Amino acid sequence: MTNPKTTQIKSYKDYLGDLIGGSLMIKESQIVAELLLKKPTQEEWLEAIVNQNVLQKRSDASAKRNAATVKKRLEGMSDEYLEQIASGSTELSTQLMFAATLINSTLLAEFMRNVMLDAKRMFRESLDLGDWESFWDERSRLFPELSKMSESSTYKISQVAFKVIADAGYIESTRSKKLQNVYLLPEVRSLLLQMEREDIISAMELN
């Protein structure tokens, strides 16, 4: 099942999104969401991320990279969405960041709606790397540029994808990949309906 929105995507980079940027980074996301609510200028952003080191990273490069990834995933989100991430429970922040990541990466959203849903319906206990590789090969026919990416890049993307899915609670760990049930919080459903993103709801509910 391909999302109708996929046909509107012109570039494989838009389809892939910033998946390679890293995991959900919930603690960092809460801090960045709070910062974004203040509508910082570029100078204020760098002051907080680099000089004040609000993310408490060991290097400026790491702080900038993590902050940029979270910011990119939260681009275009309403103040209400950002407030829920910044001040909500860990479970709420996690689900909202996962939703934001799926919106940013249509590829990952389709993996959830196709591979994860099929695995659930077949009562499989776990996923494996082969599931991702088969899905990647299939999507490479849609976006041939994906097949031209280096082996190290495609491997890193698969690792990050499973880490994000594990962070969101859909698999026990990246090692076991054992499937787990996640129940969508009403606040998350409500915000996604406001955004007319029923496709993301279906990617998260898996039923």
Side-chain angles (χ1 to χ4, degrees), residues 25-36:
M25 299 180 280
I26 300 307
K27 181 185 165 193
E28 292 90 339
S29 297
Q30 291 173 321
I31 295 167
V32 169
E34 189 171 354
L35 181 57
L36 289 173

Side-chain angles (χ1 to χ4, degrees), residues 180-192:
Q180 299 186 137
N181 292 322
V182 174
Y183 300 98
L184 198 63
L185 293 172
E187 301 96 316
V188 178
R189 171 187 280 279
S190 176
L191 281 167
L192 289 172

